[in-house]
Structure formats: structure tokens, C-alpha cells
Amino acid sequence: MLNLKKDQILLSRFSLNEMIGQGGMGQVWLVWDLELEIQIAAKILNPQLMSDPNRVKLLKNECRNTRRLAHPNIVRVFDFHRSEDLAFISMEYVDGQNLNVYRSQWEQISTSQIIKLIKPVINALGYAHEMGLVHRDVKAGNILVDRQQTPRLTDFGIAGAFKSGHHALEITSGGSLFCMSPQQLDNRRPSPSDDIYALGVLLYQMFTGYPPFYPDITRDRIRHEAPDPVNQRLRQLAVDTVVPAAMENGIAGMLAKNPADRPASMREIEAFFDRQLRPGTDQTMAPDSLTAGVRAQQQVSEHTEMIAPVSVIPTKVRKGLPVTLRSNRIKGTVLVVAFVFLLVGGFWLWQYLARQHGRQPAPEAPVSEQSQSESEKTVAPAAVLPKTTPDPTRLAAEKNEADKQLGEFLQLKQELEAKGVSKWGVETYRQMSLLADEADRLLIEKQYATAAAKYAAAVAKGQELVNQLEPVLKRLLAEGQVALEEGNAQLAEEKFTIALMMDPNNRIARDSLQRAKNTDAVMRLLESGNHHEKADNFAAAHTDYQEAVRLDPASKKARQALARVDDTIREQQYQQLMSEGLTALHNKNFQLARTKLRKAQAYRPESREVKDALAQAEQSMRLSRIETYRGQAAASEQSENWQQALNAYQQVLEIDPNVRFAVQGKQRAQKHIRIETRLNYFLQQPAVLESDRQLDNALQLISEIEAMDNKGLALKNRFAKLKRIVDAAQTPIKITLESDTFTEVAVYKVGKLGRFATRELSLRPGSYTVVGTRDGYQDVRKKIVIKPEQGPTRVTIRCEVQI
């Protein structure tokens, strides 16, 4: 799980403000860009997924795809950022909510309101298709509605290229199951028809509250089963409303299984929507709640993605409604009129902002002619239209091109103004602005093709300014250095300030600007340091010179003064440390002596004096440590703690591997440890002596211990105990077997004994199995356990049960 906090800074640039979204891949944060001083959003990948290259590629793919798109209804993506433990993309912040939440807040909504809400998304998808990209995850959750009720398409993470020559990754998998076309389910090459199918799913959900086949959404149903028509689904939900037949048929066409049966393009769907906005086609949808009966049906199958419903309910069962259905319809009509006025006002406001060329990355889209007041629409049959009427398809394409060129211009203008273009590219910048003003006028007059050409010319002028950046920057840096050498701090500061606007990360400009600002302060510090140096107050002189170098690292005078006083201080410290080190060595405080001498060596690494003193201190320390470990080893042997003795001898050998007493002591300790290990084994598990092999091992151990010299008291006591249990294991116990002279008797580990009435055996302690066999009778099997020091034992074995 991500552990991000408010006010945390990422990559020394992005300040986290508030988490505004969270999902399986990570989190989305509202962020303040400290460098550009703008508010943006950041989609941050969960650190646990950083090791998955496919997840990182998915995020990078979203950035690569969306950066190619400049459309007022597509959320802008700025860049991909990565550090050692984080990956994220920065994007435009949309102050609003996703379409699921937005739709659920409407008490009622008409067909025309849904069309007007979705139509900009269709335009954005058509633009993306023209750019060679298929979104492949069109759903309500990926559509944001800002505070001006403008829908914005987002999340191009799994977008795929369908036109050759494009650089987007071709992704054939991924997406939300409920909005995937049959072809997308089969991982076929991305096609605009996939988005057309998903748009049909979105409209179905907007009208009925749920996507097709909900709640039992399966791949097989998507591939082979036709969903219930919209009005039939509304009747199933007991919703008292009807969707216009044309709209119902249009949605069914988008949901066709065969791509050839779907609309040919988003432009065709957009034209269809325009026809649905004609007077008389509107229909108010019911409020967005569910009856208890409907909710009881909402069981999600294991194949179904969790979907936030855009729910609908019959008016007659809605509780707590403050007005009647009729008053609701009146209210809906008022809202439609208010919405139209807002759209028209937003259009003129957008034109004004575009003329002023604000800092927004992309302009709001102008309201299309179909978005004007219903009273202004006059739709005549195609046969009676004047011949001079522009082709709507061509006009829309020209308008889209003008919008695209405007977006590119605004972005370029913003980047140039951030680099202070008005201070170094005056004439070219003026020409660029004049071209843009002319393009604004043409755009307002709906001369889209000419406006696009003017915007393109303005972009070309802007590109000229971009090409001038490097030579102008070099010239400003050179002029600033000359002014600095001549003592003209004011002119130098002016040149370097402009250079920093052009390149905020230019180290030369930044450092030189600071030099110009600090010239007087540096001179005062040099005078003060010189005064302290003459008075042998070298610490104070060092402080002054060091501050002078910090203010002006390029000052040769300051650096020479600092180096001179540093040498003097180092010589004083060296002499002091040598004196303290030799004194400690004389007093046999070897640790302190070594510490002081090593510090002295840092000042004079090649000094023979300090090397000899260090060698003497090191040798004395080694001998002292060896004697300490020798005493520890002797005490451990005395107490028969052979592991501690072994550790002490190993410490000595690490200091000097040739010390004889440590080599011998290590061998002695290892031998005792091996014997104790084997001794413990037999003492803790005496039953193993029933095995002949283990009994031989125990006897061999007894021989080894008897051959040892200087056995300690603890070893002697344990050795005596081992001998007792070995003797017991070797002492046979008398066993009497009774039979009936008819039964054949055998004893495992002893042999076959034949038939008898009684038979005596002497057996070592252990476990034995006695078996009796007789023709015509069931076999008899008995297990006997003989323990050391056990008295005589009788065992009866005879076959008595006839077969």
C-alpha cells in the first residue's frame, strides 16, 4: 500500500496536497507543481507493482498516448516521472467528479440532456480515432465532469494503435469486461468499432441504470447474446418511462455483435445525436434510485466487474419526493433552458479566454451550433437546403483542426512566456501575437480553415523563438560575465536573470547571478578574515573566508585565503594530535594512542613519524589482546566449558594464525567438543544401544575416553554413566517361551526355534517379535520389549484359532 502523505515532496518538485482517487494500480493525488506553480493531478503507481514491467509500461503508455492528443474534452497528460521507488504521470487537474457520481445526483434527466452530456465525449473519441488511437475502456468511470458540466475523457492506459506509422504500443488485452466488444474479448487488433460498442454500453447504462446483461455479465453472453432493448429493460425494472425509438434502435446498432453492423464512425453517431436534438424527440428519464425489489436482483456474479449503477426507478415508488412528476418535468425543462444559456455563455467566455491566450494547457471546446438554444434550431430537410450551405462534415473537420492548432499555439505560448520571451525575442514575439489575434477573430467568425492556418503560422513563429533559445542564452551568459569582470553588478544581474528565465536549471547563470548580488559582502568578509589572520585567530579567519567562498565559489582571492588558513590550522592540529598520541602510548593506553595517531595521519598521510608510532601502538594492542584471550581460554578449560575455550583460541588465531598455544588449544577444544556431543547422544537416547552398530559406536567412544589424559570431573561422571548403560545394554535377560508342540515358533533377530512346549532364551535388552504358525490355524504375532535389569519373563505363543 502506498505510504504517501500531505505536503510530501516528490522528485524535489511535486508537493502532495490531497488524495482524490485510489484503485488497484495506485492513487491519484492533487499536486502543486513547485516549478511551474500550477495545480495538477498525479497518477502514482503502487510501489509493489514497480517490479512488474508490464504495469510500468501501462502507465508509460498512457502518458505516451495522451500527450499526442490536444482536445478540450480529453484530460491533458503532461509527462511520465520515475525515481528509484516511484513511477507516476502528471496530468491536468479536473475539478469535478466521474460520470457515475454526476449522473446519480440528477433527480431526473431527459434524453436531450444525456445526448448533450455524452456528445462532447463522442467528439473527443472521434478526434482520438483520427489520431490513430482507440481508447478501449470507455465507461462512466473514465469520464470526468467538471464544475462547468463539461465532460472530459481520461485514462488512455490501454489505448491501442490501429493506424500504421503511429508509435503507440499496440495493446490487444485489458479493459473492463462489461464494456468490451466481442472482438476486444478475442484480443483482436484495436479498432474504432470497439469504442463504438463501449459507447453503446455507456448509453444503455445511462438510460437504464446498468450495462447490458447486468448482473450476470459473462464473456459468452457478450459474444453471442443480444441484450434486452432499452425500453424492455426499463419495463423489467418497473420504470415508468420510455426512450425514443430512434435512440433505442441507435443503441442497439452500436451493440451489434458484428462490427460491420455498427455505425461506421463517431462522426456518424455525432450526426445521429444532432438529429435526436430536434424538437419533439425529448423524453425525461426517471429519478435515480432503485426500489427494494429491483435492488434484490443485484447479485453480482463471479464474472462481473463491480459497477456503480446509474440507477433508475419508477416514479410511483420513489419516497420522499417533494414535488409531483409534473412539477419534476417542469423543473427539468427549466434546467434544460438554464443549461443551454450556460453553454452559450461558456462559448463566448471560451472565445474571450482564447483571445487572451491564458495559461491553460488546452482551451475549452467551443459549443457547436447544435448546442445553442432550442429556439434557434431550424432543421430543414436535406433536399431543400440552399446549395451554398457548408458541408457539416467538412465544417466540423475544419473546426477540429482549428481547435487543434489553437491548443498547440497556447501550449507553445505558455512555454515561451515561462522563459521570458518578451525580454529577448521582442519582435518575433510581437509578430506571433499579431497572427494569433487574427486567428482568434477568424475563429469567432467561424472561418475555421483560415483560423487554423493563422494559428499554424503563429506556431511557426513560436518555433522560430524556440530555435533562438540556445544562441540567445549563450550570448546573455557571455555578456553577463563581461559585466561581472568589469564590476557592473547591475548589468550582470540583469543578463543572468533573463538567462535563468530561459533555463531555470542553468548552473552558470544561477551561480553568476549570485556572484553579482554578493560582491560587496565578499569583499567585507575578506577584509575581516585578513584582520583575524594577522592576529593569529585562525578559526575566526577560517569562518570569514569560508563564508566568502560560499557566497562566491569562483572568487580566486577568497579560495586562496581559505586554503592558506586551512594549511595553518591543519599543521597546528597535526602537532597537537601527535603529542597526545605519543603520551597515551607511553602510558600503555593503546586504544587512545591509536585513535589520536590515526587522526594525525589524516593530516599527513605520508609522515614516517606517524607511521612508526602507529605500528608500535598496533603491535602493543595485539599482544595485549592475545594475553587477554589466553587467560579466557585457560579459565574455560578449567571449568570444562570447551566451546568458550574454542572461541577464545579462535580470537587469538584471528590476530595471529601462527601462535602455537592457540593452535594446540583449538585442537584440544575441538576434540573435547566432539566427544561431549557423542556422549550426550548416548546418554539422552539410551534406547539406540539396542542397535548392534550403535552399541559398537558406544564401545569405541568408551575406548577413546579411557585413553584421554587429564579428564575433568564433569567428564568423569558422565563417562561412568555411559559405561553403566552400555553394560546394561550388553547384559542378556532370561526369557521363557511356552508353546503347544504344534506351533512353529520364530523370533525375529534370533531365528526359527521350531516346535516345543517350553524354550529358554537369553536376549539383550531391546524389542523382539515372536511369530507362531500352524497349518489350518491363524498366525500369532507378539512383540516383546526387554529392558535392562528386567527379571525373567514368560511369553506364551501358540496358534489356537482355526481357519
Side-chain angles (χ1 to χ4, degrees):
M1 185 174 183
L2 285 177
N3 188 22
L4 302 175
K5 299 178 181 178
K6 178 179 171 60
D7 298 328
Q8 183 176 343
I9 305 296
L10 304 182
L11 301 181
S12 304
R13 174 177 174 180
F14 302 103
S15 176
L16 300 183
N17 186 10
E18 178 187 2
M19 187 178 73
I20 56 179
Q22 185 167 3
M25 281 190 65
Q27 298 174 354
V28 179
W29 279 77
L30 181 61
V31 172
W32 180 254
D33 188 332
L34 299 173
E35 185 170 317
L36 298 181
E37 297 184 347
I38 58 174
Q39 198 173 52
I40 63 171
K43 180 186 287 189
I44 305 173
L45 186 66
N46 195 316
Q48 283 78 6
L49 303 178
M50 286 287 290
S51 59
D52 184 352
N54 290 328
R55 297 301 183 100
V56 177
K57 183 188 295 183
L58 199 64
L59 191 67
K60 189 180 295 185
N61 187 56
E62 178 175 359
C63 179
R64 181 187 293 110
N65 285 338
T66 315
R67 281 185 64 174
R68 297 168 48 200
L69 306 177
H71 190 279
N73 297 104
I74 295 178
V75 177
R76 292 283 311 284
V77 169
F78 301 131
D79 209 347
F80 176 80
H81 309 271
R82 186 169 186 177
S83 63
E84 184 176 348
D85 55 354
L86 277 182
F88 61 95
I89 57 175
S90 54
M91 64 181 71
E92 176 187 8
Y93 169 58
V94 177
D95 187 9
Q97 52 205 346
N98 70 47
L99 185 56
N100 270 328
V101 179
Y102 176 81
R103 170 66 177 87
S104 67
Q105 294 172 350
W106 285 71
E107 287 192 353
Q108 58 186 16
I109 187 168
S110 69
T111 301
S112 64
Q113 286 174 309
I114 292 178
I115 291 175
K116 290 174 182 177
L117 185 62
I118 300 300
K119 184 181 173 184
V121 178
I122 298 173
N123 188 274
L125 287 169
Y127 165 75
H129 294 171
E130 291 170 0
M131 296 295 290
L133 289 176
V134 181
H135 189 283
R136 303 181 70 251
D137 201 19
V138 178
K139 59 184 180 182
N142 284 338
I143 299 172
L144 304 179
V145 183
D146 64 20
R147 295 193 180 275
Q148 286 74 42
Q149 284 74 53
T150 301
R152 311 287 293 278
L153 185 62
T154 187
D155 200 349
F156 279 75
I158 63 168
F162 71 95
K163 290 185 179 179
S164 61
H166 290 282
H167 299 294
L169 296 178
E170 181 181 320
I171 298 178
T172 56
S173 60
S176 302
L177 176 62
F178 71 91
C179 65
M180 293 171 69
S181 71
Q183 293 71 38
Q184 191 172 345
L185 282 175
D186 295 335
N187 293 334
R188 296 186 187 176
R189 183 179 179 85
S191 168
S193 64
D194 297 329
D195 286 350
I196 292 173
Y197 181 92
L199 178 64
V201 173
L202 175 65
L203 290 168
Y204 193 101
Q205 182 181 358
M206 291 293 290
F207 282 108
T208 70
Y210 301 96
F213 311 119
Y214 185 88
D216 186 20
I217 303 173
T218 66
R219 294 174 178 266
D220 189 63
R221 296 188 74 188
I222 292 173
R223 287 189 177 100
H224 306 296
E225 185 176 333
D228 294 332
V230 172
N231 286 316
Q232 180 180 335
R233 180 58 175 156
L234 289 173
R235 288 193 296 273
Q236 292 171 357
L237 296 172
V239 176
D240 187 18
T241 190
V242 178
V243 174
M247 178 57 68
E248 182 180 47
N249 293 335
I251 294 174
M254 297 178 205
L255 295 176
K257 304 301 178 185
N258 188 344
D261 296 332
R262 299 172 199 155
S265 67
M266 287 293 173
R267 301 305 179 201
E268 182 178 317
I269 298 174
E270 195 171 7
F272 167 75
F273 269 30
D274 290 341
R275 293 193 295 273
Q276 298 308 302
L277 288 174
R278 293 173 182 173
T281 61
D282 202 9
Q283 172 65 48
T284 301
M285 305 308 296
D288 61 337
S289 299
L290 290 173
T291 65
V294 175
R295 291 187 185 278
Q297 302 174 14
Q298 298 177 8
Q299 300 299 322
V300 180
S301 74
E302 62 180 352
H303 303 293
T304 304
E305 178 177 344
M306 290 297 294
I307 304 166
V310 180
S311 35
V312 293
I313 134 179
T315 306
K316 60 184 180 181
V317 299
R318 182 169 177 85
K319 298 182 179 180
L321 286 177
V323 292
T324 64
L325 176 60
R326 178 182 178 185
S327 63
N328 281 342
R329 289 180 176 175
I330 295 173
K331 183 190 297 183
T333 303
V334 172
L335 288 174
V336 170
V337 174
F339 183 71
V340 171
F341 277 109
L342 283 174
L343 286 176
V344 175
F347 168 72
W348 292 108
L349 176 60
W350 172 83
Q351 295 291 354
Y352 171 76
L353 292 177
R355 173 169 292 192
Q356 297 301 316
H357 306 308
R359 293 172 58 89
Q360 294 298 324
E364 294 294 325
V367 179
S368 65
E369 295 178 272
Q370 289 80 3
S371 301
Q372 298 176 18
S373 170
E374 294 290 338
S375 62
E376 297 177 0
K377 295 181 184 178
T378 306
V379 183
V384 298
L385 285 175
K387 293 182 179 179
T388 57
T389 302
D391 178 10
T393 302
R394 179 180 59 80
L395 193 63
E398 291 175 354
K399 178 179 177 296
N400 286 335
E401 179 62 23
D403 289 341
K404 176 184 175 183
Q405 293 295 337
L406 173 59
E408 292 182 9
F409 167 73
L410 290 176
Q411 181 178 356
L412 183 58
K413 181 174 182 290
Q414 180 181 1
E415 294 172 356
L416 288 170
E417 288 180 343
K419 296 182 181 299
V421 65
S422 60
K423 296 183 180 298
W424 53 269
V426 181
E427 179 57 27
T428 307
Y429 179 64
R430 184 186 67 82
Q431 296 173 12
M432 182 186 78
S433 300
L434 289 175
L435 287 168
D437 291 342
E438 177 65 13
D440 290 344
R441 182 186 63 80
L442 292 168
L443 188 65
I444 293 173
E445 295 173 358
K446 300 183 181 179
Q447 299 183 41
Y448 300 128
T450 313
K454 290 291 184 182
Y455 282 130
V459 169
K461 283 292 180 185
Q463 194 59 49
E464 288 181 21
L465 291 168
V466 171
N467 295 336
Q468 294 176 21
L469 278 170
E470 185 174 351
V472 171
L473 178 61
K474 290 182 179 179
R475 174 174 57 81
L476 287 170
L477 292 175
E479 292 174 353
Q481 292 293 344
V482 171
L484 194 60
E485 293 172 4
E486 294 175 350
N488 191 343
Q490 182 178 355
L491 179 60
E493 186 172 344
E494 178 184 339
K495 298 293 183 180
F496 294 131
T497 300
I498 298 174
L500 281 176
M501 293 178 68
M502 299 175 69
D503 183 5
N505 298 318
N506 190 284
R507 182 180 58 82
I508 296 176
R510 183 179 63 247
D511 295 346
S512 299
L513 178 61
Q514 196 60 44
R515 287 188 66 191
K517 292 179 178 180
N518 295 332
T519 300
D520 293 340
V522 169
M523 294 305 299
R524 288 194 298 270
L525 287 167
L526 290 175
E527 292 176 2
S528 175
N530 186 51
H531 172 74
H532 290 307
E533 190 175 359
K534 289 180 178 179
D536 291 338
N537 189 352
F538 300 110
H542 180 273
T543 300
D544 287 340
Y545 294 148
Q546 189 177 49
E547 179 64 13
V549 170
R550 187 188 68 80
L551 292 177
D552 187 359
S555 173
K556 184 176 179 180
K557 185 180 292 185
R559 287 188 283 108
Q560 288 177 342
L562 180 61
R564 182 178 62 252
V565 76
D566 275 347
D567 289 342
T568 302
I569 293 173
R570 289 169 65 86
E571 180 61 24
Q572 288 182 339
Q573 291 176 336
Y574 170 78
Q575 294 297 338
Q576 178 67 26
L577 288 169
M578 281 298 297
S579 176
E580 294 174 354
L582 293 173
T583 300
L585 187 61
H586 177 76
N587 294 331
K588 296 187 178 181
N589 189 344
F590 306 121
Q591 185 67 42
L592 178 61
R594 185 176 64 172
T595 300
K596 295 292 185 180
L597 292 171
R598 282 183 174 177
K599 289 182 178 181
Q601 190 179 38
Y603 290 102
R604 288 191 185 179
E606 303 302 325
S607 171
R608 170 56 60 184
E609 178 185 22
V610 72
K611 287 181 179 180
D612 292 342
L614 265 175
Q616 183 179 352
E618 293 285 355
Q619 179 64 18
S620 299
M621 286 186 65
R622 281 197 297 272
L623 293 175
S624 176
R625 290 171 60 202
I626 286 173
E627 286 302 316
T628 299
Y629 289 130
R630 184 172 189 170
Q632 292 176 1
S636 297
E637 284 196 20
Q638 187 67 29
S639 62
E640 296 186 62
N641 190 336
W642 293 101
Q643 186 60 53
Q644 284 188 4
L646 177 62
N647 294 341
Y649 288 130
Q650 287 177 333
Q651 293 288 347
V652 173
L653 293 174
E654 287 181 8
I655 297 172
D656 186 346
N658 299 315
V659 176
R660 185 174 180 78
F661 81 84
V663 173
Q664 294 174 342
K666 178 180 178 180
Q667 294 172 351
R668 185 168 57 252
Q670 289 175 334
K671 180 179 180 180
H672 276 273
I673 290 173
R674 285 195 300 270
I675 287 176
E676 285 188 349
T677 301
R678 294 163 63 195
L679 186 60
N680 289 339
Y681 173 73
F682 291 119
L683 293 180
Q684 292 171 4
Q685 303 179 70
V688 301
L689 296 176
E690 297 175 10
S691 166
D692 292 339
R693 183 171 61 83
Q694 294 292 0
L695 180 61
D696 291 341
N697 291 339
L699 292 172
Q700 182 179 355
L701 177 61
I702 290 174
S703 299
E704 291 180 18
I705 296 175
E706 286 177 342
M708 291 176 61
D709 296 330
N710 301 322
K711 291 185 286 289
L713 179 61
L715 179 59
K716 289 179 180 179
N717 292 335
R718 291 155 65 82
F719 176 60
K721 186 175 180 180
L722 175 63
K723 291 180 67 175
R724 287 196 300 271
I725 66 174
V726 169
D727 289 343
Q730 290 179 307
T731 303
I733 304 298
K734 186 176 181 181
I735 301 296
T736 301
L737 297 179
E738 296 180 344
S739 186
D740 54 6
T741 71
F742 300 109
T743 299
E744 293 282 349
V745 179
V747 180
Y748 287 180
K749 295 193 284 187
V750 176
K752 295 182 179 181
L753 303 181
R755 301 174 184 177
F756 53 81
T758 61
R759 182 78 174 267
E760 290 187 353
L761 298 175
S762 295
L763 302 176
R764 281 201 309 110
S767 297
Y768 298 87
T769 300
V770 184
V771 179
T773 60
R774 181 180 178 185
D775 290 341
Y777 288 80
Q778 290 183 358
D779 293 349
V780 178
R781 181 185 299 267
K782 288 186 178 182
K783 183 176 181 179
I784 59 176
V785 179
I786 302 174
K787 297 182 180 181
E789 302 178 358
Q790 176 179 309
T793 301
R794 284 182 172 274
V795 177
T796 300
I797 183 77
R798 54 175 173 256
C799 298
E800 298 177 330
V801 179
Q802 287 186 342
I803 298 175

